[in-house]
Amino acid sequence: MDNTEFSKKIIVAIDGYSSSGKSTMARELAARVGYVYVDSGAMYRAVTLYAIRNNMVDPDKKIKTAELVAALPDIHISFLPSGDDGIQHTLLNGEDVEKLIRDMEVSNLVSPVAVIPEVRARLTAIQQEFGSHKGIVMDGRDIGTTVFPEAELKVFVCASPEERARRRLKEMQGKGENVTFDEVLHNVVERDRIDTTREVSPLRKADDALELDNGNMSPAEQMDWLIRRFNERCGL
Ligand code: DC
């Protein structure tokens, strides 16, 4: 029997730098304890894909903010629970865009989209609705600070930019993408800069978040650490 049945349901907020491994941890925790998993970064990526497809990006890579903000009511994002591949699929207006939102073009434009206050307000409201019944693990940049400041368990994940670029490169090469280490490192560093310096909900550790530097930890060690913290918070 699942021991979460007898314990209170909580909200788990996992924030951190790009490619810090937070999504893998969050997804696995949710699967292990029977919670819903939401990848909030995928939502920002889906909005970015919408902007690209609808000519809302200038040739000099500037987002046409007013047009994108006006289109927000037409952008519907949802998730398909994990399929055979064990991965949750992101839907943009009903279309499965899981693969498309991970490519380099979206990765390079997503941070400028994520600084737009109206985009953040809309996605934050949807994320809060997802968590209204608790029993949720959400990962992102501002989950413990803005989306769920009341979350019972908050984790802030970090690792060096080089370590994160190595992981990301491996992941992208595994998908057959033709990128170099320097390109990936540049993307990681640039996203860190935009994410930590934006005006609305910048990436930062919540005062009551537990910091996890996973640079020298195996995935199994990270999961053990996380499950222990989760059980503590649930009073198990
Ligand atoms: O986690 P990720 O790399 O897929 O996130 C993509 C981008 O979305 C990232 O550069 C910052 C932004 N983001 C955000 O601003 N707030 C969140 N809660 C999640 C992601």
Side-chain angles (χ1 to χ4, degrees):
M1 199 178 306
D2 179 354
N3 59 7
T4 55
E5 238 173 76
F6 299 109
S7 60
K8 62 170 185 170
K9 291 218 170 195
I10 66 167
I11 293 179
V12 182
I14 303 190
D15 290 304
Y17 294 96
S18 64
S19 305
S20 59
K22 59 190 178 335
S23 301
T24 309
M25 286 173 66
R27 188 185 310 121
E28 193 171 331
L29 176 66
R32 296 250 298 249
V33 302
Y35 275 25
V36 170
Y37 165 61
V38 174
D39 172 357
S40 68
M43 300 172 74
Y44 288 93
R45 286 171 179 273
V47 172
T48 305
L49 180 64
Y50 183 95
I52 294 169
R53 282 180 165 178
N54 290 277
N55 302 316
M56 295 174 182
V57 183
D58 281 340
D60 64 353
K61 305 283 178 213
K62 284 226 163 51
I63 308 294
K64 297 180 189 171
T65 303
E67 286 182 34
L68 180 56
V69 169
L72 283 175
D74 302 328
I75 305 178
H76 301 283
I77 299 165
S78 52
F79 293 98
L80 271 185
S82 306
D84 293 345
D85 53 6
I87 289 179
Q88 188 181 49
H89 285 233
T90 309
L91 305 184
L92 171 59
N93 292 337
E95 176 193 347
D96 185 341
V97 292
E98 186 56 38
K99 195 167 181 311
L100 290 171
I101 60 172
R102 309 287 163 191
D103 75 17
M104 209 62 191
E105 192 184 8
V106 173
S107 296
N108 284 333
L109 287 167
V110 62
S111 285
V113 167
V115 302
I116 302 170
E118 291 87 347
V119 170
R120 300 206 70 82
R122 179 158 164 86
L123 295 190
T124 298
I126 299 170
Q127 290 154 6
Q128 288 171 336
E129 177 60 31
F130 284 148
S132 57
H133 301 294
K134 300 217 172 196
I136 190 166
V137 184
M138 192 175 291
D139 77 272
R141 304 294 190 288
D142 62 341
I143 311 305
T145 51
T146 303
V147 181
F148 299 124
E150 77 290 8
E152 289 85 351
L153 174 58
K154 298 181 187 178
V155 178
F156 190 81
V157 192
C158 47
S160 73
E162 290 75 15
E163 174 60 29
R164 289 183 284 126
R166 266 192 293 278
R167 292 179 193 160
R168 182 102 187 144
L169 180 68
K170 203 168 150 201
E171 192 183 299
M172 296 178 87
Q173 287 177 335
K175 289 180 194 160
E177 290 200 37
N178 188 17
V179 281
T180 65
F181 176 79
D182 285 349
E183 279 171 339
V184 178
L185 181 63
H186 179 267
N187 176 257
V188 163
V189 170
E190 184 57 11
R191 281 207 280 156
D192 285 359
R193 187 188 67 73
I194 301 179
D195 292 348
T196 53
T197 57
R198 69 171 171 242
E199 252 171 58
V200 186
S201 303
L203 169 64
R204 68 168 182 84
K205 177 182 164 299
D207 293 340
D208 53 350
L210 305 171
E211 190 165 325
L212 176 68
D213 183 337
N214 65 6
N216 291 312
M217 286 170 93
S218 70
E221 286 169 338
Q222 291 176 57
M223 264 332 279
D224 281 353
W225 181 93
L226 187 57
I227 291 278
R228 270 204 303 276
R229 302 287 100 76
F230 174 84
N231 285 341
E232 278 165 21
R233 293 300 200 271
C234 292
L236 292 168

